[in-house]
């Protein structure tokens, strides 16, 4: 166990309750120096809430104290929490008192770092927790929680176990080559390595969707002036964000808004109407619109019957033609969905279509790779496995085991087993103070 650390664990703002957390071997002694229980208490029991006066720096507050005894606590050490009234000045005043009573200020993510070092969670689980905390969409909360609940770690450990198995078989042959010379079945080892390669590449593939879950699926709404792009953006958002006007050239810059469809975040951009003979300011808007379209995952090409706008050739995503103003004009020609941005008809169908674009093959019970760090480690593991698979016929087994061990070690960076100090520090530096 380490020295006491303390921090305000709730967000920096005014709220009903604020929590000040202390972790370390003397946390209870420190806490008791500044707590007056309301009732006569002989002994502080773990996991019970005690009401009483919390002594802050220059004031007292009435609140609660709870003690979690090591190792049954978040960090695996003795933890004490003060639950006080949620005023910024109150929480800071109590923290100040804690720091002068026997603790030092915790660094970013230091509580979770201790939890990791004490074996309470894997590194991937800690990252999943941070992803959950920072998530802006339900899908990201779920993807983060899959990691937090060690689902990714379990898959990675299974791969590592598979590697260990191959390594053990190879070791027998390396150590006792003279015994039973056909004891090692190279075809069998090769088959196992190939199967591991497939599992690793299946995980790697989830990063395409995982990245989208994190950043959001980008949807550019484009079309000729007055087709109803701004109206469609507003209809999809459910509130008026973009200015709607019958005067062509009204949207001169990109207007963005976010919606969640089936839990996934979509970033919608209303692009300036692409037309010839535009003024200087509008031309800049059109240039930006083109860039937004090219980098978008999906383009909604809006038409009201007067034709579609040209989509830059560089666009390689999915395009949907949306026939707008179906309350006024009978849809005709080629289109994917007919809507009326004015009445809302067809808008839900359009949302369903967006969810089916395949930009994210989202399933709530699926493990997604959402951290670039994990993607890098898996990619390295894949390279070592490929090298082992390629060389199995031509090199000696001990050379192949070098690759297999490297693959094992790369996978271990995800769970934290083989993560060095630099990796660990980088992970926890992204956390907030108090977590
Ligand atoms: P943008 O230039 O493509 O962004 O088009 P706007 O959204 O500004 O709309 C241009 C005009 O078409 C406005 O007068 C809107 O009120 C009208 N409009 C947009 N959508 C609809 C619709 O679904 N039905 C009808 N009847 N009018 C619409």
């Amino acid at each position: 166990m380490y020295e006491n650390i303390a921090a305000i664990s709730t967000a920096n703002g005014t709220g009903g309750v604020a929590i000040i957390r202390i972790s370390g071997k003397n946390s209870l002694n420190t806490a008791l120096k500044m707590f007056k229980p309301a009732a006569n208490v002989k002994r502080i029991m773990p996991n019970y809430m005690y009401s009483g006066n919390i002594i802050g720096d220059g004031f007292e507050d009435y609140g609660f104290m709870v003690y979690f005894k090591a190792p049954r606590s978040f960090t695996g050490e003795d933890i004490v929490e003060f639950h006080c009234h949620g005023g910024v000045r109150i929480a800071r005043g109590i923290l100040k008192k804690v720091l002068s009573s026997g603790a030092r200020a915790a660094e970013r993510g230091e509580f979770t770092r201790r939890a990791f070092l004490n074996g309470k969670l894997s590194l991937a689980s800690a990252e999943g927790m941070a992803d959950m905390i920072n998530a802006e969409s339900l899908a990201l909360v779920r993807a983060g929680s899959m990691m937090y609940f060690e689902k990714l770690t379990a898959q990675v450990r299974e791969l590592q176990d598979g590697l260990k198995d191959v390594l053990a078989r190879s070791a027998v042959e390396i150590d006792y080559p003279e015994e039973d010379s056909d004891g090692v079945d190279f075809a069998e080892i090769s088959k196992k390595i190939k199967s591991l390669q497939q599992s690793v590449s299946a995980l790697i593939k989830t990063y395409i969707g995982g990245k989208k879950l994190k950043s959001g699926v980008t949807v550019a709404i484009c079309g000729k002036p007055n087709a109803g792009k701004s109206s469609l953006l507003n209809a999809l958002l459910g509130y008026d964000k973009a200015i709607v006007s019958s005067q062509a050239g009204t949207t001169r810059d990109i207007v963005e808004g976010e919606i969640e469809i089936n839990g996934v975040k979509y970033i919608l951009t209303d692009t300036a109407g692409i037309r010839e003979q535009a003024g200087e300011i509008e031309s800049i808007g059109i240039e930006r619109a083109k860039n937004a379209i090219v980098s978008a995952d999906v383009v909604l090409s809006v038409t009201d019957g007067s034709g579609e706008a040209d989509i830059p050739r560089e666009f390689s995503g999915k395009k949907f033609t949306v026939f707008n103003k179906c309350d006024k004009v009978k849809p005709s020609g080629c289109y994917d969905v007919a809507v009326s941005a004015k009445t809302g008809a067809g808008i839900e169908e359009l949302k369903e279509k967006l969810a089916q674009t395949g930009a994210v093959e989202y399933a709530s019970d699926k493990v997604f790779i959402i951290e670039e760090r994990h993607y890098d480690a898996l990619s390295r593991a894949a390279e070592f496995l490929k090298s082992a698979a390629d060389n199995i016929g031509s090199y000696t087994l001990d050379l192949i085991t070098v690759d297999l061990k490297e693959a094992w070690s790369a996978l271990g960076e995800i769970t934290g087993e083989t993560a060095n100090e630099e990796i660990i520090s980088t992970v926890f530096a992204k956390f907030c103070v108090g977590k």
Side-chain angles (χ1 to χ4, degrees), residues 139 142-147 151-152 155 202-203 205-210 213 360-370:
R142 284 176 175 159
S145 89
M146 293 296 278
M147 281 159 64
K151 298 282 191 287
L152 173 62
Q155 288 194 11
L203 261 182
K205 275 197 195 124
T206 68
Y207 186 54
I208 301 167
L213 286 186
V360 187
E361 280 170 24
Y362 178 64
S364 58
D365 57 350
K366 183 174 159 183
V367 169
F368 279 94
I369 297 299
I370 49 178

Side-chain angles (χ1 to χ4, degrees), residues 172-416:
V172 173
E173 172 63 8
I174 293 165
D175 293 345
Y176 310 103
E178 66 287 349
E179 283 181 23
D180 190 14
S181 59
D182 56 2
V184 165
D185 187 340
F186 283 94
E188 180 64 21
I189 289 185
S190 176
K191 203 171 128 195
K192 283 219 157 225
I193 294 175
K194 290 226 164 75
S195 144
L196 288 166
Q197 274 183 295
Q198 277 167 6
S199 306
V200 170
S201 78
L203 261 182
I204 289 175
K205 275 197 195 124
T206 68
Y207 186 54
I208 301 167
K211 251 199 323 201
K212 290 279 159 241
L213 286 186
K214 211 163 188 177
S215 61
V217 180
T218 48
V219 181
I221 305 175
C222 60
K224 289 187 172 172
N226 267 337
K229 299 177 293 298
S230 304
S231 305
L232 184 63
L233 173 76
N234 292 342
L236 284 164
L237 292 177
Y239 64 91
D240 287 351
K241 174 121 188 190
I243 301 168
V244 172
S245 160
S246 57
Q247 198 184 327
T250 309
T251 308
R252 292 172 170 212
D253 202 355
I254 288 168
V255 182
E256 258 188 24
E258 288 178 13
I259 49 166
E260 226 178 272
I261 308 174
N262 292 347
V264 177
K265 179 168 95 175
Y266 288 77
I267 303 163
L268 311 173
T269 51
D270 173 14
T271 59
I274 296 171
R275 61 170 186 167
E276 308 291 325
Q277 291 160 348
E280 192 191 341
I281 296 174
E282 205 186 334
S283 300
I284 298 170
I286 290 172
E287 199 47 43
R288 285 190 191 165
K290 281 188 177 154
N291 292 337
I293 294 166
V294 169
S295 63
D297 298 308
V298 184
V299 155
L300 294 183
S301 173
V302 187
T303 172
D304 58 0
S306 54
E308 294 181 48
D310 292 335
I311 309 288
R313 249 181 291 133
E314 299 92 322
F315 172 69
S316 58
K318 178 113 183 156
K319 186 187 108 172
F320 280 119
T321 302
V322 181
F323 196 105
N324 187 30
K325 306 190 187 178
C326 71
D327 58 293
K328 182 167 101 171
V329 190
K330 192 170 162 21
S332 59
C334 270
Y335 61 91
D336 295 292
V337 55
V339 303
S340 164
K342 195 174 175 180
T343 66
I347 295 296
E348 285 310 309
E349 193 192 332
L350 175 56
K351 285 186 184 174
E352 271 166 39
K353 283 242 151 91
L354 274 174
Q356 290 159 11
T357 52
V360 187
E361 280 170 24
Y362 178 64
S364 58
D365 57 350
K366 183 174 159 183
V367 169
F368 279 94
I369 297 299
I370 49 178
E371 292 295 330
E372 195 182 345
R373 187 183 84 76
H374 300 169
Y375 172 75
D376 284 346
L378 284 164
S379 302
R380 269 182 286 125
E383 272 168 36
F384 288 120
L385 281 168
K386 183 176 181 307
S387 167
D390 289 350
N391 295 328
I392 195 139
S394 40
Y395 287 135
T396 58
L397 262 184
D398 45 352
L399 277 176
I400 287 150
T401 60
V402 173
D403 279 332
L404 297 178
K405 280 180 189 161
E406 291 284 6
W408 187 90
S409 174
L411 291 172
E413 285 179 19
I414 298 173
T415 62

Side-chain angles (χ1 to χ4, degrees), residues 59-74:
F59 66 94
E60 287 190 14
D61 186 20
Y62 183 78
F64 293 93
M65 189 190 96
V66 58
Y67 165 53
F68 302 101
K69 191 172 163 52
R72 294 182 59 202
S73 73
F74 174 63

